[in-house]
Amino acid sequence: MNPIISLCASQCAGTGHCRLSASTKGWGCRFLYTPIESIPVTDKEKARLFSTVYREAKRKGVLECPNYRSMFIDEVLENLILG
């Protein structure tokens, strides 16, 4: 596991730990920074954004974190579309 992700996971003390800031949940991990340039409207746009975030998570080792679930990405996308 990426040492930075491992250290972060060992310090996790609840869901607020993984947020970008106190007011911003982000993609479910403070190490994921993929910007949302426009709200996805179609399933294809949603899938493209999911893939982009998932690739970033995989590249950074976030998927190995025991506190992270890729379903966080789906939750954010759903909130964007509904919100």
Side-chain angles (χ1 to χ4, degrees), residues 19-41:
R19 291 178 177 257
L20 288 174
S21 70
S23 61
T24 307
K25 180 180 179 180
W27 293 110
C29 175
R30 62 179 66 199
F31 296 107
L32 299 178
Y33 302 113
T34 299
I36 300 169
E37 296 173 2
S38 63
I39 306 289
V41 177

Side-chain angles (χ1 to χ4, degrees), residues 10-81:
S10 70
Q11 296 173 344
C12 183
T15 57
H17 176 81
C18 300
R19 291 178 177 257
L20 288 174
S21 70
S23 61
T24 307
K25 180 180 179 180
W27 293 110
C29 175
R30 62 179 66 199
F31 296 107
L32 299 178
Y33 302 113
T34 299
I36 300 169
E37 296 173 2
S38 63
I39 306 289
V41 177
T42 66
D43 287 340
K44 186 176 180 179
E45 291 170 342
K46 182 179 170 184
R48 188 178 310 129
L49 185 53
F50 178 94
S51 294
T52 301
V53 177
Y54 190 88
R55 278 192 309 271
E56 180 188 10
K58 186 174 181 177
R59 186 180 73 248
K60 291 181 175 179
V62 171
L63 297 178
E64 297 176 39
C65 176
N67 303 307
Y68 190 77
R69 304 287 179 265
S70 60
M71 70 179 177
F72 293 146
I73 302 170
D74 284 325
E75 290 174 8
V76 172
L77 291 173
E78 281 300 315
N79 287 335
L80 286 174
I81 294 168

